[in-house]
Amino acid sequence: MNNNTPVTPRPLRHLGNDVRHRVLSAAQLREHGVAAARAAAQCRPGGPWQQLLPGVYLLHPGPPTSEERLHAVLLYAGRPGPEAAKGVPAQPGSSPGGRPGSSSRSAPPARSSARPSSPYGGVMVTGLAALALHGFGSTPGLRELDLIDVLVPRTRRLRSTAFARLIRAHALPRPELVTGVPVAPVARAVADAVAELSDAAAVRALLTEAVRGGHCEPASVVRELSQARLLARPHVVDAVDALLAEGRSLAEGRLYEMVRTYALPEPVWNVDLALPGGPHLGGVDAYWPEQAVAVELDTRAPRLGGPGGPQDDDAVWTEYARKREHLERLGVTVLHLTPRKLRESLEQQAMVVGTALAAADERDPAAYVVVLPR
């Protein structure tokens, strides 16, 4: 064989049974022996193929399905650019076509569960399309979306085009596979969707469904919104306030459920504690006076980009710690339960509370405290 020997094409007749075969990149077509000139000829008016995006082909003449559009966007965004071929590392600063503020986004390094040979190169669907794949009912269906958002490394030199909108990130989060499609985690997808929405009702609906539907905790959503610098928008701040109230209400409901489902003694709910004739000690969500055990829901949600920044969260945490230390010096056991733990491991949290109640007889008697309704 020499350089003039033609490459034997891999047959294309089997393609069409799977979306990964109906939508192929130029590189994949070359693996089947289809040169660029032949692919272009197939896409002429009246031809059997069509070019959906630069370098991405649909191997039938009809309208693309939602699945085919998703696959096309991922193939377009995931193909390695010149910077990947040359091994150029990511550099600080914005990239052409990037969203304002995207250079400041940070997240855990990408650890895609996809195989190393994945044609997507680590990119993932985000925004409204990702939320639709996650099963959100408050988002338009995939067929109704004019644009599909996809997260890419910020060094990627491709630009948004046609129905593919690229969102650049300093570091990609770990994707979740939904029906074989790499999708951004819910909290990140919500933030990317909110960045493109100006309707207050739509923003509130997304945030509420994220929490009420059990997709994620309020803190993770607020953290992503903060990192995206979206908390300066009044309609987003209003939606966040409603989100935090929603999250706390759900956590309180799970706390009630825990006590009753696992037959724990009934506490007094939502009370303030104080020394007799002395200072106020703080409020707790549940208190067992005979055992001197208190439960406090940790529903803090830091607004890292809002007024006061991280200092606000530090101040809140300092107050939490001060209250806990004061109560424990008085002999009161304080348990901090998070909404996530109550949602994911209710039985385990019931065991933690039950153990603290059972251990009360082995501890020194606690100081007398006054229980006041909130």
Side-chain angles (χ1 to χ4, degrees), residues 89-115:
Q91 297 293 331
S94 60
S95 298
R99 172 176 298 158
S102 63
S103 61
S104 65
R105 301 292 295 273
S106 60
R111 294 176 292 169
S112 174
S113 57
R115 297 177 181 177

Side-chain angles (χ1 to χ4, degrees), residues 117-296:
S117 58
S118 167
Y120 302 137
V123 304
M124 67 199 76
V125 176
T126 189
L128 291 175
L131 296 178
L133 287 167
H134 279 297
F136 273 54
S138 58
T139 62
L142 288 172
R143 292 186 179 182
E144 303 170 50
L145 293 175
D146 294 328
L147 296 172
I148 296 175
D149 293 328
V150 58
L151 273 177
V152 301
R154 39 179 277 225
T155 53
R156 190 63 49 86
R157 295 180 183 176
L158 294 172
R159 293 185 180 274
S160 299
T161 184
F163 54 88
R165 180 164 56 193
L166 274 56
I167 298 176
R168 290 174 169 80
H170 178 74
L172 299 179
R174 182 176 184 175
E176 301 174 12
L177 288 179
V178 181
T179 64
V181 176
V183 177
V186 168
R188 178 60 193 263
V190 166
D192 288 330
V194 167
E196 304 297 335
L197 295 175
S198 58
D199 182 73
V203 171
R204 179 173 293 198
L206 284 184
L207 269 58
T208 299
E209 184 170 1
V211 174
R212 187 179 296 173
H215 296 284
C216 58
E217 299 302 328
S220 60
V221 177
V222 177
R223 186 174 297 109
E224 290 288 352
L225 292 172
S226 175
Q227 290 176 345
R229 300 182 180 180
L230 296 173
L231 294 180
R233 303 181 183 183
H235 69 285
V236 176
V237 173
D238 291 343
V240 165
D241 290 339
L243 171 75
L244 296 179
E246 176 81 15
R248 179 161 190 85
S249 176
L250 287 173
E252 289 175 344
R254 293 186 184 116
L255 185 58
Y256 298 150
E257 178 187 352
M258 181 192 75
V259 168
R260 286 152 194 174
T261 299
Y262 297 98
L264 296 173
E266 190 76 13
V268 288
W269 298 102
N270 297 313
V271 295
D272 283 325
L273 304 180
L275 290 173
H280 176 255
L281 299 173
V284 294
D285 295 283
Y287 185 60
W288 289 262
E290 294 184 7
Q291 293 86 3
V293 173
V295 165
E296 189 163 20

